[in-house]
Amino acid sequence: MIRTENLSKRFDTFLAVDAVNLQVGAGEVLALLGPNGAGKTTTVRMLTSVLSPSGGRAWVAGYDVVEQAARVRASVGVLTENHGLYNRMPAYEYLDFFGRIYRISEPDRGARIDRLLEEFSLSESRRQRIGEFSKGMRQKLALARTLLHRPPVLLLDEPTSAMDPESAHMVRDAIHQLRTDDRAVVICTHNLVEAEQLADRIAIIRRGKIIAKGSPRELKRTFLGPPEYQATTLDSPNGQVYRLPPGVTLTGTGDNWIRFTSEEGEARNPETLQMLLSQGVQVASLAEVPRSLEQVYLQAVKNPAGGAQGEATA
């Protein structure tokens, strides 16, 4: 659905986007992470044919963003950070206005608007002025607008920016509903927890370059090493010595827990668990030790070469 080859954008002497290579398939969500000024919004504007690239090429829904700009614009739904809602308009009238801009026939337009208002739990507010909406309701209405013409590609810029936790949760739930087998979604966000919840793949951009990309699990392994597992026990193994299978490394013990890791990951867990049981350890549970995307992000920024290999086939 989205493919870029060395996509670049220069403003006079400033290189805002530097040879970005990305791929996003149908049914998948890519989160584009990076600090302010990293090139996220500029990349999105090139993907929507609002800005022309200075170098490289990009295709959206199979259309070249330069040579087939009109078709690209018809194929994308864009949610910007400042979505420009018309506060005096009622919600239904607002969507109808954009439906007419998209040249959707009146019967089809009405059916689509009714369905979208129902999906986003806005049906009861259809005649209410947008200026009276909460932040979460306004963002959901903006999402409904991006879906009105049934675009195969969605580009969402900071979808929960400056929202209270309840409103942000409401919008994240709405975004979950947007995942379909025939649609690709790109989310630009600073919210790392949100990115991990919503995205199949992550791309981190810094100073216009992609410095890391892959699934959250792949990135954690690349930057943080193999996963670590914790066996919670019914006894107190702290300070005791335990035998583990070859290739499995003990990383720590404490009151009622043992931690270990292996380059082969969870594949060694059955053997490790069996060996612990054979030594009389009463294991109550076994689970992977959580590692956050924030840890990955900080390591990627500190050591960008560690994760810059391969394509982001999100």
Side-chain angles (χ1 to χ4, degrees):
M1 284 292 187
I2 297 174
R3 181 164 62 95
T4 73
E5 292 182 357
N6 296 319
L7 189 66
S8 303
K9 183 62 181 179
R10 182 180 294 276
F11 297 96
D12 295 326
T13 60
F14 176 62
L15 187 58
V17 176
D18 184 6
V20 164
N21 293 290
L22 293 172
Q23 293 186 35
V24 189
E28 296 171 327
V29 178
L30 171 71
L32 189 58
L33 309 181
N36 290 330
K40 302 187 302 295
T41 300
T42 301
T43 299
V44 167
R45 287 175 177 170
M46 287 190 285
L47 293 177
T48 56
S49 295
V50 172
L51 288 177
S52 295
S54 302
R57 299 185 69 184
W59 297 263
V60 174
Y63 302 115
D64 187 287
V65 297
V66 175
E67 297 175 0
Q68 299 168 294
R71 288 187 175 273
V72 168
R73 295 187 191 111
S75 300
V76 298
V78 184
L79 178 69
T80 60
E81 189 172 0
N82 299 309
H83 37 63
L85 295 171
Y86 304 150
N87 289 337
R88 291 191 172 187
M89 275 188 170
Y92 187 95
E93 184 179 329
Y94 174 79
L95 293 178
D96 185 69
F97 170 73
F98 277 92
R100 283 182 277 128
I101 290 177
Y102 289 128
R103 298 181 181 178
I104 303 170
S105 67
E106 185 173 355
D108 195 18
R109 190 167 71 238
R112 292 190 195 186
I113 292 171
D114 288 342
R115 179 179 57 80
L116 286 167
L117 291 174
E118 180 68 28
E119 284 184 5
F120 288 109
S121 302
L122 294 172
S123 291
E124 294 183 3
S125 305
R126 61 197 292 122
R127 302 300 177 189
Q128 186 176 345
R129 291 182 186 272
I130 298 170
E132 301 170 0
F133 278 19
S134 68
K135 286 183 179 180
M137 292 171 67
R138 290 163 66 88
Q139 197 77 329
K140 288 203 297 182
L141 182 64
L143 279 170
R145 182 198 64 205
T146 69
L147 293 168
L148 191 57
H149 59 303
R150 296 177 177 170
V153 174
L154 293 177
L155 302 168
L156 311 178
D157 193 2
E158 301 293 348
T160 60
S161 176
M163 282 190 172
D164 61 83
E166 183 179 3
S167 296
H169 179 74
M170 186 185 301
V171 171
R172 280 194 294 271
D173 282 348
I175 293 173
H176 273 299
Q177 299 175 32
L178 303 181
R179 185 193 299 266
T180 64
D181 291 340
D182 56 357
R183 178 183 295 137
V185 181
V186 174
I187 301 172
C188 296
T189 181
H190 290 101
N191 189 324
L192 302 181
V193 174
E194 179 176 273
E196 189 163 9
Q197 289 177 347
L198 296 175
D200 302 295
R201 298 274 174 169
I202 306 289
I204 302 175
I205 187 169
R206 179 170 177 259
R207 297 176 182 173
K209 294 185 70 70
I210 298 294
I211 60 172
K213 48 194 176 184
S215 69
R217 189 172 185 84
E218 290 167 347
L219 290 175
K220 287 175 184 179
R221 187 174 183 91
T222 298
F223 288 97
L224 305 178
E228 186 180 28
Y229 296 91
Q230 177 171 301
T232 302
T233 67
L234 299 179
D235 48 6
S236 301
N238 193 23
Q240 299 183 38
V241 178
Y242 293 92
R243 291 180 290 106
L244 297 177
V248 178
T249 303
L250 185 71
T251 56
T253 61
D255 292 338
N256 303 314
W257 59 265
I258 303 169
R259 286 187 178 182
F260 57 89
T261 187
S262 168
E263 289 292 337
E264 299 177 49
E266 63 184 6
R268 301 301 301 277
N269 286 353
E271 182 184 358
T272 304
L273 181 59
Q274 187 62 42
M275 185 168 285
L276 289 173
L277 293 172
S278 71
Q279 297 168 72
V281 181
Q282 300 181 60
V283 178
S285 64
L286 179 65
E288 184 175 343
V289 178
R291 300 186 293 179
S292 71
L293 190 59
E294 180 180 25
Q295 293 173 280
V296 171
Y297 182 87
L298 294 175
Q299 283 293 324
V301 171
K302 180 180 178 181
N303 178 30
Q309 305 300 316
E311 287 297 313
T313 307

